[in-house]
């Protein structure tokens, strides 16, 4: 009985303890339940708040672009506005993302800038290499372009007949008729060389021939001189009633050819023939190498030439530009020489022996307009008529020899010092290739070198050229 009583007591005690424990646990469950509910509510409210902020920003976009965003815009935005909390909180929440975006943009900008710098360096290096290559190549692809152009008429070699006529002239047989007016057209910078063609004119005048030196501005462009020559030829023709034989030296031959090409209808019955003596009809590498665009120091070289030609010599830079290969190709393509006028082209080769480099030229006077003579000098003291001049000594033969040597070493071309032999041959003309070594200046200065008295001088050469040109005109008439 005692044991039963004891077990009942223990059971009652355990029941009372359990009731107390359950009474304690029940409030804790309620607390945890409320906490979980509150947390879920806060979480939902926070998610709703973020969605509403995003929705408000999405509403600022246009309708078309808004459809592309995967954002639920059906949220209650009015609740967000009631909180009076918007952009600062959202921007604060998005600050890490903004930082990442800024770092990304900074990295991309740096890479882009570095890439652009590398590109600029690469382009500059490429441009420099192209300039160096263009400078080294020079006119190697342009020299003799007339011979390689399809459709150009072939030339006829008249050297043998020229040498026969020259030999007869040296023996005193002069065949030039007085039925023509002989017009000598000087070349570039001839206005500053007062002896230019003077000896040839006197030589012809002593034979009773009507000979004139064209008074043109030699430093003017080709088209300007072509117009002046056209006016000059018409004046001579109407004044004398005789047709005109043109002999142009250097750029003078280019000017005369341009006059016949541009004003063919006006001059075809007034001009009997055209002789181009050492003329860069196809162009000259010296002019192209100086003024070629895209080569090393091209702008600096052009400024130097403009200062020299335009400021000091008072000329036109186009006079030199018109002798470049680019300009000559353009002109010849657009203006053809008339076929009914006989044309003769003469070219020669300069000496390049070492002894020539120390040889002084025959030119002993040059006209320097920017200098004035002393007041103690009188006009009789000036050797050259027509303008004030200063006696100087110019080693022109040595300069021509150096230029000819330069063209021979660089391009492998024979030249008279300024014009290569291939560029002086006019398509469809009778070509004279003398075996005598003549530089570019010897043909227009008639003083005879005592050491080479047996060689013909420039006057006799010009007479032989014009005599051959007259024969060509007579053959043309007979062929009709």
């Amino acid at each position: 009985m005692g044991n039963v009583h004891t077990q009942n007591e223990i059971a009652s005690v355990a029941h009372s303890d359990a009731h107390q424990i359950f009474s304690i646990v029940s409030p804790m469950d309620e607390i945890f339940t409320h906490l979980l509910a509150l947390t879920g509510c806060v979480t939902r409210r926070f998610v709703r708040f973020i969605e509403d902020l995003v929705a408000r920003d999405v509403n600022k976009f246009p309708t078309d672009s808004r459809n592309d965003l995967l954002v639920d815009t059906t949220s209650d935005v009015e609740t967000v506005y009631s909180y009076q909390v918007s952009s600062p909180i959202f921007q604060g929440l998005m600050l890490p993302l903004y930082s990442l975006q800024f770092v990304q943009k900074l990295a991309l900008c740096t890479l882009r800038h570095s890439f652009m710098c590398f590109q600029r360096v690469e382009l500059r290096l490429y441009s420099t290499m192209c300039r160096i290559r263009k400078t080294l190549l020079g006119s190697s692809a342009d020299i003799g372009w007339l011979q390689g152009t399809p459709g150009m008429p072939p030339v006829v070699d008249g050297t043998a007949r020229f040498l026969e006529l020259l030999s007869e002239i040296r023996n005193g047989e002069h065949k030039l008729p007085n039925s023509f007016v002989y017009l000598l057209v000087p070349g570039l910078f001839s206005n500053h060389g007062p002896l230019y063609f003077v000896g040839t004119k006197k030589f012809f005048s002593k034979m009773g021939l009507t000979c004139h030196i064209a008074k043109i501005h030699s430093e003017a462009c080709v088209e300007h001189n072509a117009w002046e020559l056209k006016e000059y030829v018409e004046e001579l023709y109407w004044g004398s009633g005789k047709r005109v034989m043109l002999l142009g030296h250097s750029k003078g031959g280019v000017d005369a050819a341009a006059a016949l090409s541009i004003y063919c209808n006006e001059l075809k019955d007034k001009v009997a023939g055209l002789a181009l003596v050492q003329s860069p009809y196809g162009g000259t590498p010296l002019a192209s190498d100086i003024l070629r665009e895209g080569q090393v120091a091209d702008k600096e070289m052009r400024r130097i030439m403009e200062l020299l030609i335009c400021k000091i010599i008072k000329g036109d830079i186009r006079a030199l530009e018109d002798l470049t290969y680019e300009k000559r190709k353009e002109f010849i393509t657009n203006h053809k020489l008339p076929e009914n006028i006989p044309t003769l082209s003469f070219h020669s080769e300069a000496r390049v022996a070492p002894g020539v480099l120390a040889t002084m030229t025959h030119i002993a006077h040059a006209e320097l307009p920017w200098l004035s003579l002393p007041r103690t000098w009188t006009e009789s003291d000036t050797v050259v008529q027509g303008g004030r001049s200063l006696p100087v000594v110019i080693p022109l033969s040595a300069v021509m020899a150096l230029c000819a040597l330069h063209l021979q070493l660089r391009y492998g071309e024979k030249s008279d010092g300024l014009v290569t032999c291939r560029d002086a041959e006019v398509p469809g003309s009778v070509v004279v290739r003398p075996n005598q070594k003549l530089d570019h200046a010897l043909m227009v200065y008639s003083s005879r070198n005592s050491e080479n008295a047996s060689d013909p001088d420039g006057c006799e050469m010009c007479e032989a050229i014009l005599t051959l040109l007259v024969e060509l005109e007579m053959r043309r008439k007979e062929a009709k």
Side-chain angles (χ1 to χ4, degrees), residues 309-356:
I309 297 178
C310 301
K311 301 298 182 181
I312 299 179
I313 302 179
K314 306 298 181 183
D316 189 349
I317 189 65
R318 292 180 299 173
L320 188 61
E321 282 183 344
D322 288 341
L323 302 182
T324 61
Y325 288 109
E326 181 180 1
K327 291 293 184 180
R328 291 308 301 161
K329 289 177 182 179
E330 179 182 353
F331 186 89
I332 294 175
T333 303
N334 298 327
H335 303 90
K336 302 293 184 181
L337 279 172
E339 298 179 355
N340 59 341
I341 297 179
T343 305
L344 185 148
S345 53
F346 176 98
H347 62 77
S348 61
E349 182 182 352
R351 293 187 179 92
V352 293
V356 183

Side-chain angles (χ1 to χ4, degrees), residues 162 248-249 275-279 344-349 416 419 421 424-426 429-434 436 438-439 443 461-462 465:
F162 168 80
H249 176 256
L276 296 93
V277 179
Q278 298 173 322
S279 296
L344 185 148
S345 53
F346 176 98
H347 62 77
S348 61
E349 182 182 352
D416 56 18
V419 182
C421 295
E425 294 188 359
V426 181
S429 67
V430 175
V431 179
V432 175
R433 310 180 181 100
Q436 184 182 357
L438 301 171
D439 61 40
M443 289 294 297
M461 290 277 191
C462 290
I465 291 172

Side-chain angles (χ1 to χ4, degrees), residues 55-121:
R56 188 192 64 181
D57 290 337
V58 169
N59 289 332
K60 296 180 181 179
F61 290 93
T63 304
D64 297 337
S65 61
R66 193 188 310 166
N67 296 330
D68 298 334
L69 299 176
L70 300 176
V71 178
D72 185 9
T73 60
T74 62
S75 302
D76 189 4
V77 183
E78 295 180 357
T79 305
V80 180
Y81 289 120
S82 65
Y83 292 131
Q84 299 295 324
V85 180
S86 58
S87 181
I89 296 177
F90 179 73
Q91 291 179 359
L93 294 173
M94 298 298 291
L95 183 60
L97 180 60
Y98 289 158
S99 301
L100 290 175
Q101 290 179 348
F102 174 75
V103 173
Q104 182 184 9
K105 290 182 179 180
L106 182 62
L108 290 176
C109 183
T110 304
L111 290 175
R112 189 181 297 112
H113 181 71
S114 302
F115 181 72
M116 291 176 63
C117 290
F118 283 121
Q119 266 191 333
R120 290 176 183 175
V121 172

